[in-house]
Amino acid sequence: MDPAVVDSSEFGLLWSTKYNAKELFYAKPLVYTPLAGGPQIVFIASSQNWIRTMNAKTGAPLNARQVHTPFLQAEIGCNDIPDTIGIIGTPVIDPATDIAYFFAKTYIPNFRTAGNTGVYNGVYYFHGVNVNTLEDAFPPVLIDGSQSDNAPAKYFIGGVVLQRPALTQIGSVVYTGFGGHCDLFNYTGVVIGVDVNLKKVVTNFAVESGPLVPQTNVWNQNAGGGQGGIWMSGMAMATDGANRLFWVSGNGVGHENKAVPASGSSGCKTLGEAAVNLAVGEGGKLSLTDYFQPYDYEAMDGGDQDFGSGGVVLLDPGTFKGTGVSKIAVTSGKNGKIYFLNANNLGGYKLGPGQTDGILQTIVTNKAVFGGVGSYPLEGGYIYSTPVGYPTYVYKLGFSGSGVPVFSQVGRTPENSAGRVGGGVPVITTNQGKEGTAILWMTDPDAGLRAWHAVPGADGLLKSINIPQVNGLNKFLRPAFGDSRLYVTDAQSNIYCLGSPVNLPLTCSSPVTFGSVALGSSAIQTVSCTANIPITRISDVTVGDVHFEVSINDLPQGAVAKGATFTFPVKWNLESTTVTNAQNASYGNTAPGIKSTALTIQTINGVDGYSSKFPISLTGTQVSQKPFLVIAPITVDYSGVVITDPANIPTVSLPFVLSNAGVGPLTITGYAFTDDELDDNPVFTNVTMAQQPSVLGAGFSSNNLPPVGTVIPGGGEISVDSMFTPTDIGTYTSYFFVYSDGGKAFSILQGSASTAAIANFSISTSEGGWLPEQNIIMDFGKVAPGTTSSRQIRICNEGGSVLQISKSKPPAGVFRPEDPNALYESQNIPVNSCAYATVLFVTNAMQPNTPDQTFTNTWTLNVDDVNFGVREVAITGTVVSRKIGPTNPAGDSVYRYLGCYHEVKPGGRLLVNQAYVSATENTNDRCQTVCNTGNYVFSGTEYQTECYCGNVPPANVYKSDEIFCNYGCSGDQSQTCGGIQVGTGGYISIYYDPTRFTPSDNDTTGTPPTSGTPQTVKQVGNYNYLGCYSETTQGRALSDKIPPIPATGTTLEYCQTACQGYQYFGVEFANECYCGNTINAGSVAQASDDVDINGCSMLCGGNQTQYCGGANRIEMYGLNASIPVPTSTPTNPTTPTTPTGGPSNAASIGAWDYLGCYTEATAGRALSGKLNPVPGATLTNKLCAAACSGFNYFGTEYSGECYCGDTLGAGAVLATDGGCSMTCNGNASEYCGGPNRLTMYKLNTTSTFTSTATGTGATSTTASASATATVPAGPAIKSSISTWSYHGCMTEATNGRALSGLLNPVGGATLTLEKCAAACAGYTYFGTEYSARILWWPQQAFHVQGQRDSVRKQQHNYYRHVCRHISWHINWCLDFKQHLYHTYSYRTHYCSDPCWI
């Protein structure tokens, strides 16, 4: 990345793409060029288990795939990752194979417990996919069940762990770490290795093992395992290519290391709060080689000062090395310390002076870090660390007098990071590895993306780079880079690509490097450019530093042709530059070192669409021949010292560096300090070297200050250890000066001392007061459903130091924080201040008489007050529903809410007895009163207006989500009376008497059947089972007698008894019984004995162990005259006698050949040339053939429909489901299609014939199919009718009708817009719906059982034809149901034809 381009107007947003709602990309984007070449791609993976690739340059999507259903965050009660948990750790791509590897969290239904989801059914799969296609390179590898190599009793349960670190590949094995979800459940951190060649788990190393670690097999027991999670804010485990794997862990439970020091090779088994080096052995197996555990790790565990939040980084050994150390590892965490480790000897436990840490260096910042350090190995070597809510701090590599590496703070960014967890890992880029071109990049959850020039200026600040604003980015993200572009993802499901425009007018040499130039001299470099387009002229050239000189006269003065090249000189003029570090120096004064700036060429282009500016980087090193003293950092900030014991005040140590930036040797001539302001005639005190430590000011000292006369060679430096030891509470400042023959320089030493922070914790009461601190129960008491209540948590700081929240795991669900950022981890609470969080109890609406529901959750909190300890706030509240309906003597409601149930039970109605229908007064309390009067156990309301009672418990299989019962009762819209969903049917709100029925979660019927699973009974009394028969096309299969439906529901025995004396009896639709002496024409035995295929799958309303037919399917039984009329049910079935014979189709009709049974078209008609040219009541295939003369095809459908056409509509194909089973209305011996099925014939063009169509008198002579059908024009929407204007197509209301003033004033059969407009005179609106609402038959007719069949036949034949318009089958049927029928078994029968469904 070229800083001259990035820090210019030419750098901007190239493209962005938004993906699914709530789809987050915690895994960073990967930029990759496939082995086959071609365009660079971006590979991304999301929390919803989607993987995607896109063109890196244009953003054009290439491939996308969802590999699994994601795991649901709501299952675990931890908000660290919201909504879904899928692919969270950053994948790794193997450049030798083009295969991307990643871990995905999902479920295996019923894996460990019943159900499709659930924490215990959560699992992890390891995937390998080809990045070119996203196809699997091998079947996914299940990680669950793998045992730990070093703790065989521990095994992997994917639901309780989180894979957060990026993946690391060593050879054929891909490694990653697993941690916990907010330290919940029984988990132990592990390192998993999967061999991609063997396609299996080859190693499982447990962080915590041995006898001191808890080991239970209760999966949901918090702290039941060892903890010690590996998450590292998403950073990868580090490796140096020497078969070593470095990582750092979080809080652990077992504490093997106590008071006795231990070496890193001691084999410690409890590796929580540790930096660890594992050896990669044969077959990828892992074993412990070395570790470092801070001397205060137990206190870190107690205060949740998670060591593992910062990751571990291996620095470039080419730069970062020194005496006794060839490789340096750096880690940091929530405890506010940066640890510098010898990667070859990490440090063990308590191996330092006074049993402290035996490591290279510890920098105490008292600032929590999530995410590790970044590093820059050029220009002397720098590292970067970003604490939460603070600037990014810059530390420079220096050396002690003996050459040991020492890091000192030398700078910071002007801006602070977000004051909440989520800042990314510092990333440094250069332009082709050139010094002076380094850019520091940081992602931020609030500020988005930020950038700075990576090397601090003389003022200790990094210069900010203005870059395009993007939204707050995902937690712990790193930008990805490729071909001068970068990629980031935000918290709103977007991915962004930033870079310079593709269309640049010039291509010039950049960066232009001047090398080393001595102060007092100058150097010239030549810039070479080529025009990419015709350029009218070069209008200007500018530089950002006056020491670099360029003249517009040296550039082309006129037009520049495309492809033309030109050169021009640039001079770095240091001839008059003075070398001084004196205060208040003028602009021309400077310090030696690397310098860089931007040169910008401005053009007037001859072609549109190209940038008018082209930036070029200029860089070089200023060299002073004289010595030049530099002291860094400018400010040595020792932060705050907490005094808990005046007799034992702690000391804070920090280094600063004295360096010679010149070429000649530098001699130190003296030291002095003052605490006066420097611009107010300060009084200095000379530093004496007679006693040690040397005093550098009040409270400040040094044990290794170089003696006066010490010589620092050119380019050399000396690291000085300084200490801050306060004597009392207060603020300390010293201006410490160093004098030399290379000038003088100073550093500000500052620190403070205070008493410890003291936390005061309390929870609010409902009256607005505060509970005693010891009370950690937040009780909302009893609340009404559909309301929101609130309570507060307050943490106050009553001590003398800033109080920091070290752990905060808020609740989720019905209890949740009003502000997600309240009481966040790493939040600082100033002295004498308080921090608050409001907890909301948001309750859902609830049906009346629902049992009280008590909800619980917790908010886990801790602060850095050592006397505070982890607090788990127990949150509880009870939702109490509204009480309605009749009450018992104790004053309790007789009925209790059972649930919303789906009316699709094979046995018909869930509650078989309809109490009433009321369009205006139906409520649940009224329905319950009626059912209670009838002594029913169950009461239910449906479809706003209907009340049902019953005694048979509804099966749990039909219990549905409450969202489906969403219809307001006609008498009280605040109550719910069932519901209906288009395409799925009705829903009923059911209540029960708890004194006579006890629900069970695994209940199948409420009252378990006594004789096992449902069955088709082969013999009932003196009747034998004949089979499952269809109903006739016009009327009943059995029509001699229709016995009434008993209140307790129909059984086979009831129907057999009621039909004694008849040749046949049959049961249909669960509760309907029919008797007859003949099976009427058109009733056909179904071929299959499988109830799911033949349709006789409904359970008897009075006996759930028997089948009683189905929709348009009748369970048929025939009389066996050899068996006497029974007094009990026989047990030995006999072989049924099935009627033979039936309709068929002619192989040809005249010149038409039979093609078979065809489906309707996907959208529209299979045949659309001529519609229904033959009256439906007399239809035969011959009549249709005659009417379709001149067309290539004809087809008959639904007994009475005829269609003609020259071509088959798209989607019309040969059906194999036997759907052409309806006989012709005019000839019962032949088939005329079926629901959405056509009996299809095609014209044979080779024959000539003459035929007379029976029944029509029409004669047709056909030589060939040459006529072209004329398709009538389609309907149109009228924009106005008289004084009425068209408003559009609108939905019905949520509960009830959109228009309810006057219903169906026009006969449906003759409905037109004009008639409806006239009938609605005086109203503001009118509307038409469902083509025709036929509401002119008296409703009372349908309450009379004897009239039922005669009405049913004529209406069914009419409505089934109207229902043929598929686009509104469902709604028409529902309307038909609502307004005409109040006997469920009847209306459902006609709404169950395939047409209606």
Side-chain angles (χ1 to χ4, degrees):
M1 303 295 287
D2 190 336
V5 174
V6 175
D7 199 3
S8 74
S9 60
E10 305 312 303
F11 188 83
L13 179 66
L14 298 182
W15 55 263
S16 67
T17 302
K18 185 175 182 64
Y19 293 103
N20 298 332
K22 299 183 179 181
E23 183 178 15
L24 298 178
F25 300 90
Y26 291 104
K28 81 169 226 179
L30 297 179
V31 185
Y32 181 71
T33 302
L35 289 170
Q40 203 171 58
I41 65 171
V42 178
F43 178 93
I44 57 175
S46 80
S47 63
Q48 293 182 356
N49 274 335
W50 279 94
I51 54 175
R52 294 181 170 89
T53 53
M54 62 212 68
N55 185 295
K57 183 176 181 180
T58 66
L62 300 175
N63 291 295
R65 174 188 170 203
Q66 188 177 34
V67 295
H68 296 291
T69 298
F71 187 89
L72 299 176
Q73 173 268 332
E75 303 266 30
I76 57 174
C78 174
N79 286 330
D80 284 350
I81 297 174
D83 302 312
T84 56
I85 304 172
I87 304 167
I88 305 299
T90 300
V92 63
I93 299 177
D94 185 350
T97 61
D98 279 356
I99 297 177
Y101 300 107
F102 55 87
F103 288 84
K105 187 163 187 171
T106 183
Y107 300 99
I108 297 179
N110 304 305
F111 185 48
R112 299 186 180 96
T113 187
N116 292 328
T117 60
V119 175
Y120 206 32
N121 285 332
V123 299
Y124 267 99
Y125 283 102
F126 175 76
H127 284 262
V129 299
N130 188 304
V131 296
N132 300 292
T133 63
L134 298 189
E135 295 297 322
D136 288 328
F138 49 79
V141 177
L142 180 65
I143 307 303
D144 281 61
S146 64
Q147 292 179 287
S148 293
D149 303 329
N150 57 330
K154 296 183 181 295
Y155 57 93
F156 191 95
I157 299 178
V160 303
V161 294
L162 173 67
Q163 192 278 305
R164 190 65 179 91
L167 276 57
T168 302
Q169 183 175 5
I170 301 177
S172 65
V173 182
V174 176
Y175 297 94
T176 195
F178 289 81
H181 291 289
C182 296
D183 286 339
L184 299 174
F185 309 115
N186 180 343
Y187 84 93
T188 303
V190 293
V191 181
I192 294 289
V194 180
D195 191 306
V196 300
N197 292 333
L198 300 178
K199 303 172 184 60
K200 69 176 184 178
V201 176
V202 294
T203 191
N204 179 330
F205 183 91
V207 176
E208 296 269 346
S209 63
L212 298 179
V213 176
Q215 176 60 51
T216 74
N217 290 320
V218 181
W219 68 270
N220 57 354
Q221 178 185 350
N222 292 351
Q227 298 188 355
I230 304 173
W231 70 286
M232 303 191 300
S233 295
M235 296 180 64
M237 293 183 286
T239 183
D240 59 358
N243 283 330
R244 301 194 297 182
L245 203 60
F246 295 84
W247 45 268
V248 62
S249 61
N251 302 328
V253 176
H255 295 152
E256 179 179 333
N257 283 327
K258 291 288 187 179
V260 180
S263 72
S265 58
S266 63
C268 178
K269 295 181 176 62
T270 58
L271 295 170
E273 306 281 24
V276 179
N277 170 13
L278 296 182
V280 180
E282 185 177 355
K285 288 285 186 182
L286 298 174
S287 59
L288 178 64
T289 296
D290 193 9
Y291 74 94
F292 161 66
Q293 206 163 39
Y295 74 92
D296 55 348
Y297 83 99
E298 290 184 88
M300 292 163 61
D301 271 343
D304 197 55
Q305 299 292 308
D306 195 342
F307 189 33
S309 66
V312 62
V313 173
L314 296 176
L315 303 182
D316 185 340
T319 298
F320 299 99
K321 59 183 178 180
T323 301
V325 55
S326 59
K327 291 184 179 180
I328 297 175
V330 186
T331 187
S332 56
K334 290 159 62 174
N335 64 339
K337 295 180 181 179
I338 304 175
Y339 299 91
F340 296 84
L341 315 175
N342 183 339
N344 296 324
N345 184 10
L346 293 178
Y349 172 68
K350 284 190 174 182
L351 296 181
Q355 293 193 2
T356 57
D357 295 331
I359 60 177
L360 293 177
Q361 184 182 359
T362 302
I363 296 179
V364 179
T365 67
N366 293 316
K367 300 174 179 67
V369 172
F370 289 76
V373 302
S375 66
Y376 173 48
L378 304 180
E379 303 184 48
Y382 296 85
I383 69 164
Y384 305 80
S385 178
T386 308
V388 176
Y390 290 94
T392 296
Y393 293 99
V394 187
Y395 301 87
K396 191 175 189 301
L397 173 65
F399 299 90
S400 68
S402 58
V404 176
V406 179
F407 290 85
S408 304
Q409 182 185 325
V410 295
R412 63 176 178 85
T413 60
E415 300 87 0
N416 288 350
S417 66
R420 61 188 179 100
V421 172
V425 179
V427 176
I428 294 84
T429 62
T430 64
N431 184 14
Q432 302 175 27
K434 299 295 179 62
E435 293 185 341
T437 65
I439 301 174
L440 166 66
W441 304 87
M442 278 296 301
T443 62
D444 192 279
D446 292 337
L449 183 66
R450 285 172 164 169
W452 301 267
H453 291 275
V455 176
D459 58 358
L461 295 177
L462 302 186
K463 180 186 175 185
S464 300
I465 296 175
N466 293 321
I467 57 175
Q469 184 67 34
V470 296
N471 294 328
L473 300 179
N474 285 316
K475 293 194 298 185
F476 316 129
L477 186 69
R478 288 187 179 191
F481 299 88
D483 285 352
S484 300
R485 294 180 292 268
L486 70 84
Y487 307 85
V488 290
T489 60
D490 71 7
Q492 284 77 47
S493 311
N494 295 292
I495 180 171
Y496 300 94
C497 173
L498 284 76
S500 60
V502 175
N503 298 330
L504 293 173
L506 297 168
T507 299
C508 299
S509 51
S510 180
V512 177
T513 302
F514 286 80
S516 296
V517 179
L519 293 164
S521 64
S522 62
I524 296 175
Q525 289 291 331
T526 299
V527 180
S528 176
C529 296
T530 301
N532 297 328
I533 59 170
I535 297 174
T536 304
R537 66 184 178 90
I538 296 174
S539 59
D540 199 4
V541 59
T542 59
V543 288
D545 184 335
V546 296
H547 295 106
F548 292 91
E549 299 173 354
V550 62
S551 172
I552 186 65
N553 296 325
D554 292 329
L555 277 75
Q557 299 301 301
V560 181
K562 177 181 178 180
T565 61
F566 61 90
T567 59
F568 62 93
V570 180
K571 182 179 182 180
W572 192 13
N573 188 354
L574 302 177
E575 295 170 0
S576 59
T577 302
T578 60
V579 181
T580 178
N581 56 13
Q583 301 168 41
N584 303 318
S586 64
Y587 173 82
N589 297 336
T590 187
I594 295 173
K595 309 296 177 183
S596 63
T597 191
L599 179 152
T600 304
I601 301 173
Q602 300 186 34
T603 61
I604 297 176
N605 300 325
V607 177
D608 292 335
Y610 285 77
S611 172
S612 61
K613 296 180 179 180
F614 185 85
I616 300 171
S617 287
L618 308 178
T619 182
T621 302
Q622 293 180 355
V623 177
S624 171
Q625 297 298 330
K626 300 178 180 179
F628 190 92
L629 175 65
V630 175
I631 184 171
I634 294 176
T635 300
V636 182
D637 186 354
Y638 301 85
S639 193
V641 172
V642 177
I643 299 177
T644 57
D645 180 5
N648 188 20
I649 297 176
T651 294
V652 177
S653 298
L654 285 177
F656 59 85
V657 176
L658 307 179
S659 60
N660 178 7
V663 175
L666 178 146
T667 302
I668 295 175
T669 58
Y671 305 99
F673 64 86
T674 181
D675 58 5
D676 297 332
E677 296 290 339
L678 296 182
D679 58 357
D680 191 24
N681 297 317
V683 177
F684 285 91
T685 300
N686 290 328
V687 177
T688 61
M689 311 294 291
Q691 61 180 11
Q692 294 293 322
S694 302
V695 176
L696 309 183
F700 304 101
S701 60
S702 173
N703 282 318
N704 66 341
L705 192 67
V708 172
T710 297
V711 176
I712 303 176
E717 60 184 36
I718 297 175
S719 180
V720 179
D721 296 327
S722 65
M723 295 159 301
F724 171 48
T725 308
T727 56
D728 202 353
I729 294 171
T731 300
Y732 295 75
T733 302
S734 174
Y735 300 93
F736 173 67
F737 277 75
V738 180
Y739 301 88
S740 74
D741 60 354
K744 65 179 180 179
F746 73 92
S747 183
I748 303 172
L749 312 181
Q750 61 183 29
S752 65
S754 61
T755 56
I758 300 174
N760 180 284
F761 175 88
S762 50
I763 298 171
S764 69
T765 66
S766 58
E767 294 80 16
W770 297 95
L771 296 171
E773 183 171 5
Q774 296 75 20
N775 191 326
I776 57 173
I777 298 176
M778 177 180 286
D779 190 352
F780 283 82
K782 295 182 177 180
V783 301
T787 62
T788 298
S789 307
S790 65
R791 297 285 189 275
Q792 281 191 311
I793 297 175
R794 180 181 69 184
I795 301 178
C796 296
N797 183 2
E798 299 177 347
S801 302
V802 171
L803 179 70
Q804 185 177 81
I805 298 175
S806 58
K807 186 170 191 172
S808 180
K809 304 301 179 185
V814 293
F815 298 110
R816 63 174 181 266
E818 182 178 46
D819 179 359
N821 294 322
L823 301 184
Y824 60 86
E825 288 185 2
S826 76
Q827 179 177 349
N828 289 328
I829 305 174
V831 174
N832 297 324
S833 298
C834 298
Y836 298 84
T838 298
V839 179
L840 301 179
F841 185 17
V842 183
T843 64
N844 291 324
M846 184 182 291
Q847 292 285 0
N849 294 2
T850 297
D852 295 350
Q853 295 186 27
T854 298
F855 296 89
T856 60
N857 211 319
T858 60
W859 191 327
T860 305
L861 290 158
N862 201 358
V863 297
D864 60 358
D865 176 356
V866 294
N867 298 315
F868 187 80
V870 176
R871 305 279 177 102
E872 280 202 358
V873 179
I875 308 172
T876 183
T878 301
V879 184
V880 180
S881 68
R882 173 184 173 189
K883 307 304 179 187
I884 63 170
T887 58
N888 58 27
D892 297 324
S893 298
V894 171
Y895 289 96
R896 184 177 294 171
Y897 184 64
L898 185 61
C900 178
Y901 283 75
H902 196 183
E903 286 280 24
V904 291
K905 172 186 171 187
R909 265 224 166 267
L910 293 171
L911 304 181
V912 298
N913 299 287
Q914 185 175 41
Y916 64 82
V917 176
S918 175
T920 59
E921 297 181 359
N922 185 40
T923 62
N924 286 295
D925 33 338
R926 179 187 174 191
C927 185
Q928 290 169 22
T929 300
V930 172
C931 293
N932 186 51
T933 302
N935 198 33
Y936 285 102
V937 178
F938 298 94
S939 167
T941 55
E942 182 174 3
Y943 213 76
Q944 297 184 295
T945 60
E946 302 167 359
C947 170
Y948 296 89
C949 311
N951 289 316
V952 178
N956 276 346
V957 68
Y958 306 114
K959 193 168 186 178
S960 301
D961 194 290
E962 291 299 318
I963 63 173
F964 294 111
C965 286
N966 56 5
Y967 273 27
C969 300
S970 63
D972 182 356
Q973 289 291 309
S974 68
Q975 297 183 29
T976 298
C977 283
I980 197 161
Q981 298 294 316
V982 173
T984 63
Y987 295 81
I988 183 171
S989 303
I990 297 182
Y991 294 77
Y992 71 101
D993 181 348
T995 65
R996 294 189 285 169
F997 172 74
T998 301
S1000 173
D1001 289 341
N1002 57 2
D1003 205 356
T1004 57
T1005 64
T1007 301
T1010 58
S1011 56
T1013 58
Q1015 57 184 315
T1016 300
V1017 179
K1018 300 298 183 181
Q1019 179 180 325
V1020 182
N1022 56 337
Y1023 286 81
N1024 293 332
Y1025 178 66
L1026 301 182
C1028 179
Y1029 276 65
S1030 68
E1031 273 289 9
T1032 66
T1033 55
Q1034 300 186 52
R1036 282 278 165 210
L1038 302 176
S1039 56
D1040 293 338
K1041 181 182 177 181
I1042 306 177
I1045 299 173
T1048 56
T1050 294
T1051 66
L1052 294 173
E1053 291 78 11
Y1054 164 78
C1055 193
Q1056 172 257 328
T1057 300
C1059 292
Q1060 278 299 325
Y1062 288 90
Q1063 187 70 27
Y1064 304 97
F1065 83 82
V1067 285
E1068 179 174 356
F1069 216 81
N1071 279 312
E1072 300 176 1
C1073 173
Y1074 301 96
C1075 317
N1077 286 317
T1078 60
I1079 299 176
N1080 292 325
S1083 179
V1084 180
Q1086 303 303 294
S1088 175
D1089 291 330
D1090 188 333
V1091 296
D1092 292 327
I1093 297 174
N1094 64 35
C1096 287
S1097 59
M1098 289 187 174
L1099 304 180
C1100 298
N1103 186 343
Q1104 301 285 295
T1105 67
Q1106 301 174 346
Y1107 286 113
C1108 279
N1112 284 327
R1113 293 293 184 270
I1114 184 168
E1115 207 93 33
M1116 190 74 74
Y1117 289 83
L1119 181 67
N1120 187 340
S1122 65
I1123 301 176
V1125 176
T1127 58
S1128 62
T1129 303
T1131 58
N1132 297 320
T1134 61
T1135 304
T1137 302
T1138 304
T1140 60
S1144 61
N1145 284 109
S1148 62
I1149 300 175
W1152 305 83
D1153 292 334
Y1154 178 61
L1155 295 184
C1157 181
Y1158 272 66
T1159 66
E1160 274 288 9
T1162 306
R1165 287 282 171 207
L1167 301 175
S1168 57
K1170 184 185 289 188
L1171 309 182
N1172 293 309
V1174 179
T1178 60
L1179 180 68
T1180 65
N1181 284 308
K1182 285 185 178 181
L1183 287 173
C1184 189
C1188 291
S1189 174
F1191 289 92
N1192 289 333
Y1193 296 90
F1194 83 85
T1196 55
E1197 183 172 358
Y1198 219 82
S1199 296
E1201 299 170 9
C1202 172
Y1203 300 96
C1204 318
D1206 284 323
T1207 59
L1208 295 179
V1213 296
L1214 189 65
T1216 59
D1217 57 1
C1220 292
S1221 60
M1222 300 180 73
T1223 57
C1224 303
N1225 288 338
N1227 184 354
S1229 67
E1230 63 179 0
Y1231 289 116
C1232 279
N1236 290 323
R1237 296 293 185 271
L1238 291 91
T1239 297
M1240 189 73 73
Y1241 285 80
K1242 183 178 182 182
L1243 185 67
N1244 187 335
T1245 57
T1246 63
S1247 63
T1248 300
F1249 72 99
T1250 301
S1251 67
T1252 301
T1254 304
T1256 65
T1259 301
S1260 174
T1261 301
T1262 304
S1264 64
S1266 58
T1268 301
T1270 302
V1271 179
I1277 294 174
K1278 292 189 175 183
S1279 61
S1280 63
I1281 298 174
S1282 184
T1283 59
W1284 304 82
S1285 297
Y1286 177 66
H1287 276 219
C1289 179
M1290 299 191 179
T1291 64
E1292 274 287 15
T1294 304
N1295 293 309
R1297 287 284 172 210
L1299 302 177
S1300 56
L1302 182 63
L1303 305 181
N1304 296 304
V1306 179
T1310 60
L1311 180 66
T1312 65
L1313 295 173
E1314 290 76 6
K1315 287 183 179 181
C1316 189
C1320 291
Y1323 287 88
T1324 305
Y1325 298 92
F1326 83 85
T1328 57
E1329 186 175 9
Y1330 301 146
S1331 292
R1333 279 195 192 281
I1334 313 303
L1335 303 178
W1336 27 265
W1337 283 302
Q1339 291 186 358
Q1340 58 267 28
F1342 305 105
H1343 294 283
V1344 182
Q1345 184 70 38
Q1347 297 176 343
R1348 173 171 144 172
D1349 261 12
S1350 61
V1351 177
R1352 169 145 71 180
K1353 289 179 181 178
Q1354 57 179 314
Q1355 292 176 353
H1356 177 56
N1357 287 334
Y1358 175 73
Y1359 285 117
R1360 73 179 183 192
H1361 177 74
V1362 177
C1363 185
R1364 290 301 304 124
H1365 299 282
I1366 297 173
S1367 63
W1368 46 271
H1369 286 173
I1370 297 168
N1371 286 337
W1372 213 101
C1373 178
L1374 301 183
D1375 182 61
F1376 190 49
K1377 165 184 172 179
Q1378 180 183 11
H1379 291 283
L1380 291 184
Y1381 297 118
H1382 303 297
T1383 303
Y1384 177 83
S1385 60
Y1386 173 49
R1387 68 162 178 264
T1388 308
H1389 174 80
Y1390 286 105
C1391 288
S1392 63
D1393 278 355
C1395 160
W1396 298 109
I1397 293 171

